[in-house]
Amino acid sequence: AQARQRLDEAGSLGDQALAPVRLFVALLEPELQLAEGKLDAARQGFAQAEQLAMEELDGQPSPATWQARYGLGRVLRRQGKHEAALTAFRSALTHLEELGQRTALQEDRAPFFANHRALVDDTLSLLLELHRPEEALVVADGAQAQVLRGMEAAGRLQRLSAEQVREWARRVATYRLSRDRLETLRSQIRRSAGPARTALEQQLEAQRQDSSRCFEAAFAHLDEVAPVASPISLPPAALSTALAPGEALLELVAIGPQWHGFWLAGGKLSHQLQQGSTLLAPWTKELRSSVHHLFVVSGGHPQAAALAGEEHPAGGPLLEHVTLSYLPHAGFLLRRPRAVTGAALIV
């Protein structure tokens, strides 16, 4: 009832409402319809909300566009249209990544992605429902890579000299000024018509290009003075080639309150819900027969740090039989040297 009241109050402003208010109204209505089970109306509402966002913001990344696509995916999933829902979820993830690239230039952007975890969780749960663990692992690992990318800016700034920090700040200020001009032009266009609007739209395209150049210039400078090896998402094709014979990967992924394990070895991937007393319980057969080096992506699992102390299926501590490496995410497999032989703990 309170949400309906807020919606009515915002809707009463009509064309006088600012763009954020109009987009809020456009997104809230289908959310309420979805909660009420009015799926066809919600589906139409999310499509209209995305169209409005594209018109208001000239096709630029915005929270409204990915939220509309995410909402559409949830409706389609409720309607049993799983492939269409998955397409909408993937589109929302792609748009969210594009938006994140232009979010909080001077701040740690990892929370930006962590705060949108519900979209990732819904995508993963749908993929697992469709029995597509390979795609689920790629999505999960890509989300982890996004968080790591988001942490880069803050860490890199700490390594800059005072002069380099000033230059970075100057470039960021130039980008923000260009972005403000872009927003001003958008506002003027909404209030204009005829030849005046056409002229402003031409200026808008030039200003959009300038804003993009300023953004790229800021990070080009950062790449020059503080280069880093940016995290690489694990591509689907790498699942069969990322590991050498005798190597295995265990990636732990939280989907809502539940932990899932993805085990990759010998070019084959298996998935299990983590319910046993030990993390390695679902894969004792594989450990006993062929694995001499295990890569682990913990995903923040509380038991992952104690993995080395688990017992090997053949008896004795795990490290008497395999070497163990902890990775931030599986994409690092594409950069690392081949595992060495012998018992060791590599972090």
Side-chain angles (χ1 to χ4, degrees), residues 99-170:
L99 179 61
Q101 292 172 357
R102 281 167 165 72
T103 297
L105 270 172
Q106 286 183 299
E107 300 172 1
D108 180 356
R109 288 176 288 172
F112 173 82
F113 295 105
N115 292 339
H116 300 82
R117 182 70 198 186
L119 169 58
V120 177
D121 285 354
D122 280 348
T123 306
L124 293 175
S125 65
L126 179 55
L127 284 168
L128 292 177
E129 182 181 336
L130 296 175
H131 305 289
R132 289 151 72 169
E134 294 84 1
E135 295 176 52
L137 175 58
V138 170
V139 170
D141 201 66
Q144 184 69 10
Q146 283 184 352
V147 173
L148 293 174
R149 290 190 194 101
M151 297 172 64
E152 285 183 356
R156 295 164 79 181
L157 291 177
Q158 295 174 0
R159 305 199 303 268
L160 302 184
S161 66
E163 182 179 351
Q164 290 170 336
V165 169
R166 285 193 293 271
E167 176 61 19
W168 163 254
R170 184 192 68 78

Side-chain angles (χ1 to χ4, degrees), residues 7 27 39 88 97 108 133 143 145 157 161-162 172 181-182 197 204 253 261 267 270 311 324 347:
L7 179 61
L27 286 166
L39 301 185
E97 184 172 7
D108 180 356
L157 291 177
S161 66
V172 170
R181 289 172 179 163
L182 191 63
R197 182 184 180 96
L204 181 72
V253 178
S270 58
E311 184 176 354
L324 187 64
V347 181

Side-chain angles (χ1 to χ4, degrees), residues 67-309:
Q67 288 173 15
R69 295 175 187 182
Y70 177 36
L72 177 61
R74 285 154 51 215
V75 173
L76 292 167
R77 187 177 185 182
R78 286 273 297 274
Q79 292 179 323
K81 301 175 181 177
H82 291 159
E83 289 299 332
L86 188 57
T87 298
F89 285 161
R90 289 188 184 280
S91 177
L93 285 170
T94 299
H95 205 82
L96 183 60
E97 184 172 7
E98 294 173 356
L99 179 61
Q101 292 172 357
R102 281 167 165 72
T103 297
L105 270 172
Q106 286 183 299
E107 300 172 1
D108 180 356
R109 288 176 288 172
F112 173 82
F113 295 105
N115 292 339
H116 300 82
R117 182 70 198 186
L119 169 58
V120 177
D121 285 354
D122 280 348
T123 306
L124 293 175
S125 65
L126 179 55
L127 284 168
L128 292 177
E129 182 181 336
L130 296 175
H131 305 289
R132 289 151 72 169
E134 294 84 1
E135 295 176 52
L137 175 58
V138 170
V139 170
D141 201 66
Q144 184 69 10
Q146 283 184 352
V147 173
L148 293 174
R149 290 190 194 101
M151 297 172 64
E152 285 183 356
R156 295 164 79 181
L157 291 177
Q158 295 174 0
R159 305 199 303 268
L160 302 184
S161 66
E163 182 179 351
Q164 290 170 336
V165 169
R166 285 193 293 271
E167 176 61 19
W168 163 254
R170 184 192 68 78
R171 293 184 183 226
V172 170
T174 299
Y175 163 69
R176 287 179 171 165
L177 179 60
S178 180
R179 187 181 60 185
D180 289 343
R181 289 172 179 163
L182 191 63
E183 294 302 323
T184 299
L185 279 171
R186 288 171 177 158
S187 178
Q188 291 174 342
I189 287 173
R190 285 191 289 268
R191 300 192 301 268
S192 303
R197 182 184 180 96
T198 301
L200 287 171
E201 287 174 343
Q202 292 175 348
Q203 295 179 40
L204 181 72
E205 180 58 31
Q207 188 61 46
R208 185 186 296 121
Q209 294 178 7
D210 179 77
S211 179
S212 180
R213 282 194 299 269
C214 291
F215 179 88
E216 297 301 335
F219 274 94
H221 170 70
L222 199 58
D223 290 338
E224 180 181 352
V225 298
V228 295
S230 180
I232 298 176
S233 300
L234 184 69
L239 292 178
S240 61
T241 60
L243 298 171
E247 296 178 338
L249 166 72
L250 172 62
E251 181 151 355
L252 301 168
V253 178
I255 304 177
Q258 295 182 318
W259 282 95
H260 296 251
F262 293 85
W263 179 275
L264 178 64
K268 297 181 179 180
L269 179 70
S270 58
H271 158 263
Q272 293 285 342
L273 188 64
Q274 292 291 148
Q275 296 177 314
S277 58
T278 68
L279 295 180
L280 298 176
W283 295 284
T284 55
K285 180 179 179 181
E286 290 83 353
L287 273 173
R288 184 189 299 273
S289 61
S290 60
V291 175
H292 62 71
H293 189 99
L294 178 62
F295 294 96
V296 179
V297 178
S298 72
H301 194 291
Q303 293 178 245
L307 188 62

